[in-house]
Amino acid sequence: MTNDKGKYYISTPIYYPSSNLHIGHTYCTVMADAMARFKRLCGYDVWFLTGTDEHGQKIQKAAEENGVTPQEYVDRIVEGIKELWKTMEISYDDFIRTTEERHVKRVQNIFMKIYENGDIYKGEYEGLYCTPCESFWTESQLVDGCCPDCGRPVEKASEEAYFFRLSKYQERLTELFEGTPEFLQPETRRNEMLAFVRRGLDDLCISRSSFNWGIPVPINDKHVIYVWLDALSNYITALGFDDEPELYNKYWPCDVHLVGKEIVRFHSIIWPAMLMAMNEPVPSHVLGHGWLLLEGGKMSKSRGNVIDPVKLIERYGIDALKYFLLREYTFGQDGIFTNEVMLNRMNSDLANDLGNLVLRAVTMIGKYCGGVIPESKLPGEHDDELKALATGAAAKVEGFMDKFAFNLALEEVWALVRRTNKYIDETMPWVLARDAANKDRLDTVMHNLADSLRIISILIYPFMHTTSKEIRKQLGMWYADVAWEDAFVFDMANGEQVKKGDAIFPRLDIEKELEALEQLQESAQSVPLELKPEIEYDEFDKMDFRVGLILEAKKHPKADKLLVFKVKMGTEVRQVISGVADDYTPEEMVGMKVVVVANLKSRTFRGLESKGMLLFGENGDRWDIVTTTAPDGATVC
Ligand code: MSP
């Protein structure tokens, strides 16, 4: 393999080690790995970076809830993440952890660079803060009065803080989106981001003083650096920016930041602006992929519905899982994961099409040619069509890979797999074998079959390198490295001794597998709930829960997501506000007997006071009200 095509730097997001990764996370890493392997095979000098994003309030809270230090907490999870990538043979060149010394000191350096260039200043932040997202928002960014990212209510918060002059880069960012359309893909994301920038950018609060699990602001150790500024910097701190700049000079700017759709904004607006503030080049491409969803909606640990990639790998193998992820879903769009779709895909494409082809080819070469791949001697019908398809596939795969269309690239390869199977049916070697006069033609058919399979083994390498090697082993080609340029030429197979092995993808009994997977998923679900820290009875006893009868309900005049209730609790009628207008109409709630946290300090929502809180149960994407038959005013305990 040569390295003469230039450099290619690809990154995945750095994952939060707040819990173990699920199949949705592996999706992005599998895509990046396939691309890295593909580019290496094509002769690029590839740098593939992944890692973990270990600071922030969420991690600090999770550690507290588990009774360990944040560092202990992340160390344990990061070990599991590295183990997962090892099992999946992810070919990263570096794994960066944001708690590593090399990262910490370089992030501080980045902060200072921007500060010294005049783009960081100290101010007073008075804003609306979404705790789960660790994001401050301005009034104009809220959607129906709630966090635009997660839809949850935000709170007023004020603190001394450092700000990044993001607003200064509005024009340059607009130019970037308009002048370099390929910078951000897919097109829909680019349009969204361009509209976001055009609406006007506010300066960004980039320090926090309400918790301390982060990188200290170098000029003020009461503050830690905002987790996104810390995290985004990983793409250059891992390259040694800027105290050991050798890798940086070689690989920056990044060719592709592969990221999920919900973090495109950080990568295409904040990150380029940070680089602009340091007079450094911006990444060449940011690509936003869609999400893997379940039929009932999102995968989430709290819902106990996450799909564990390790379980699937143990049962079906790494290559089958990788193939499924890359073949089934369209880049940029969301896709639904179901066991059935996965199993059917594995059976039809892997066991039936590819597995069968390998078995047929190796068996027939054994039977008709003494196990040695013969030369081509007598061309015949169908040969040219097969050869044209086989030698034309690599260029088409390249074209699709340029667009990150993994599914179409694989479809192209499978067109060849199916055509080769059809070639066997058309040429009917078992009929040719009946008459010795057909020997030259039979040899030629076997030769073509082996050579088509040789090309297939090269084409699948970026996506399934183990299977690629296994096919080459069975074809007796184990001695040669896989070389992409060999996929463009026919007639290379000649004289190799084939060696029959096990079926590369055994056929699955779908019914049986569905049952087994369901059982696995059920047993995985009986993991203990992640609870808040234990409390004493006395603490619980401070809370006054009462039964309330909803007398009246109406929409909040200034916030679409809020409902305003008049609730009777025995002798008292009071006003309570809840953010459930998406889940309930006011009419259907009147007459319900509900549970009220009656001694909760009152709060004002958009000018209306709420005295107390109604209890709801999370149910998928909606909130279900907790009701009771006890009389209103009764104490609930
Ligand atoms: N730590 C940040 C990224 C910082 S990058 C400088 C983060 N971490 S994350 O662990 O929450 O998510 C990492 C990636 O996993 C995101 O790109 C996200 O889109 C992706 N996915 C999480 N769940 C997913 C699915 N169900 N499907 C596909 N990708 C998903 O965000």
Side-chain angles (χ1 to χ4, degrees), residues 13-16 22 24-25 53 228 231 235 260 262-263 289 291-292:
I14 50 173
Y15 298 93
Y16 288 130
H22 57 61
H25 300 111
D53 181 1
W228 271 100
Y235 300 124
E262 86 289 10
I263 57 172
H289 64 78
W291 275 42
L292 292 196

Side-chain angles (χ1 to χ4, degrees), residues 190-207:
R190 190 176 80 90
N191 294 339
E192 273 169 29
M193 290 305 119
L194 187 55
F196 188 92
V197 173
R198 281 193 182 133
R199 278 200 297 272
L201 294 173
D202 294 310
D203 287 348
L204 182 71
C205 177
I206 52 154
S207 72

Side-chain angles (χ1 to χ4, degrees), residues 160-381:
E160 176 197 75
Y162 290 87
F163 288 83
F164 170 51
R165 280 187 215 284
L166 184 60
S167 58
K168 181 174 152 188
Y169 293 96
Q170 175 166 357
E171 212 169 296
R172 283 183 64 189
L173 287 167
T174 311
E175 270 166 30
L176 175 65
F177 288 121
E178 284 176 344
T180 323
E182 68 282 4
F183 166 67
L184 174 58
Q185 287 161 27
E187 184 71 16
T188 45
R189 300 272 162 244
R190 190 176 80 90
N191 294 339
E192 273 169 29
M193 290 305 119
L194 187 55
F196 188 92
V197 173
R198 281 193 182 133
R199 278 200 297 272
L201 294 173
D202 294 310
D203 287 348
L204 182 71
C205 177
I206 52 154
S207 72
R208 301 285 183 267
S209 54
S210 51
F211 61 92
N212 58 14
W213 181 239
I215 300 179
V217 168
I219 45 171
N220 186 341
D221 61 11
K222 282 199 220 79
H223 293 257
V224 292
I225 295 174
Y226 174 44
V227 71
W228 271 100
L229 196 106
D230 166 354
L232 289 163
S233 304
N234 92 87
Y235 300 124
I236 57 175
T237 61
L239 295 181
F241 181 81
D242 68 344
D243 55 313
E244 280 178 55
E246 199 186 323
L247 286 177
Y248 181 78
N249 291 338
K250 190 166 173 197
Y251 292 110
W252 193 258
C254 188
D255 293 84
V256 172
H257 287 315
L258 199 57
V259 300
K261 59 180 185 177
E262 86 289 10
I263 57 172
V264 160
R265 187 171 64 87
F266 296 95
H267 285 81
S268 63
I269 295 177
I270 298 175
W271 179 224
M274 281 169 62
L275 290 159
M276 287 170 186
M278 290 187 284
N279 299 315
E280 296 296 330
V282 301
S284 307
H285 301 280
V286 173
L287 301 188
H289 64 78
W291 275 42
L292 292 196
L293 304 170
L294 296 178
E295 274 168 322
K298 272 192 189 172
M299 245 176 256
S300 85
K301 198 164 183 222
S302 56
R303 285 188 211 168
N305 66 358
V306 291
I307 306 287
D308 182 354
V310 177
K311 294 266 168 355
L312 298 180
I313 291 169
E314 277 167 6
R315 238 181 143 77
Y316 309 112
I318 312 163
D319 279 7
L321 182 65
K322 287 203 300 192
Y323 174 79
F324 165 70
L325 291 172
L326 295 167
R327 172 65 188 86
E328 191 64 37
Y329 302 104
T330 303
F331 189 89
Q333 293 175 16
D334 288 346
I336 307 276
F337 176 94
T338 72
N339 291 333
E340 204 163 0
V341 170
M342 178 186 73
L343 294 169
N344 280 325
R345 178 63 78 185
M346 288 175 177
N347 247 5
S348 71
D349 296 11
L350 298 179
N352 285 1
D353 293 341
L354 184 60
N356 230 357
L357 178 61
V358 174
L359 184 72
R360 290 170 98 187
V362 175
T363 309
M364 287 193 292
I365 293 168
K367 196 164 157 192
Y368 304 135
C369 313
V372 177
I373 299 175
E375 273 177 52
S376 168
K377 291 166 190 144
L378 185 61
E381 210 190 344

